Amino acid sequence: MTREAVAIAHPNVALSKYWGKRPGEGNVPAVPSLSVTLAGLTTRTRLRWDAALPDHRFVLDGKAHERAAAPKVFAFLDLMARAQAVGASADVESRNDFPTASGLASSASGFAALALAGVRANGCDWDATRVADLARRGSASAARSLFGGFVELDGELARPVAPADHLPLVVLVCVTTESPKAVASSEGMVVTMERSPYAKAWLEDAPRIHARLREALIARDFHRVGELAEASALAMHASAIAAGVVYWNGVTIDTLAAVRSLRAAGTAAYATVDAGPHVKVLVPPGETAVALGALRGVPGIVRVIEARPGPGAAIEGGAR
Ligand code: PMV
């Protein structure tokens, strides 16, 4: 039985967002979400189960992290070892080919690659759905990165909705600062649910936005997908901001204004924002140059990364 595997996975950006968890175990989102997995940006993770190691070893981008410095990763490795009755510690080396402060959730691709490598290294032939169920326990958005193209996470279940070429789309990731984010998403969600006067409104509205967005995606209606994606992000942040959880900076607001100006001038550009200050602009491929020109003129945007829909997580060299 092989004890080592190398997995690759890509980040995803949610078009309809989840924000808030169901009470209890399992890290289950309170509302459904729909994302697009992005090509080109890659996490590569090598994992070896080793019964001789006293504890897990975790090296990220060449730097070793102790248990206290990466509690979520170590807790996930503990869980994975228990879930598969491995009886060994994990020796993990992971690398992102995109900067951690790029505004793309490295936790999604990170836990997706980690889960797939951990399962395959143990010789388990679990399908992507079962690996996604495991990855979700590390970071809920990671469950979606097991699949390529457009992917839904509904309760405990992640499933593909449409392949990567279903809707021609470019995601322009506008990086608005190099600093790491102040509040982790899991903490931001807890504070929002406890303190926001609009938490209930968000929990009621998000499933409706999600259902409409799913329909628009299946109908290949780019404008409607864009409108609903922007509405989802604004509603999520409005509920968070009302609890004092503010992920935006001044450049975030200026970038959102630039996207509205692009639309007023006839360009099909729409914005979404995750739990951070960066703005992801959705455009049809033919509008990329115009949108890039406008976004490069926004003072404070550090750089723009161009991404497209891409594949799900895979074992290096082929198998899933
Ligand atoms: O599951 P996490 O901790 O990566 O949080 C994801 C939160 C959002 O990106 C804002 C929403 C989403 O559905 O991805």
Side-chain angles (χ1 to χ4, degrees), residues 19 72 100-108 139 141 177-189 236-237 245-249 274-278 280:
W19 193 247
K72 271 182 82 172
T100 307
S102 67
L104 288 155
S106 56
S107 71
S139 169
S141 60
T177 173
E178 299 283 11
S179 333
K181 72 177 158 201
V183 185
S185 53
S186 42
E187 191 191 331
M189 290 181 210
M236 175 206 126
H237 283 278
V245 180
V246 183
Y247 286 106
W248 297 1
N249 60 29
D274 288 317
H278 315 292
K280 286 119 190 178

Side-chain angles (χ1 to χ4, degrees), residues 14-20 31 181 185 188-189 192-193 196 198-199 201-203 205-206 209 228-243 245-248 272-276:
L15 302 175
S16 63
K17 309 283 186 205
Y18 96 83
W19 193 247
V31 296
K181 72 177 158 201
S185 53
M189 290 181 210
T192 304
M193 294 307 134
S196 175
Y198 307 130
W202 159 256
L203 292 173
D205 205 35
I209 298 178
L228 288 160
E230 194 166 307
S232 172
L234 294 177
M236 175 206 126
H237 283 278
S239 72
I241 289 169
V245 180
V246 183
Y247 286 106
W248 297 1
T272 184
V273 186
D274 288 317

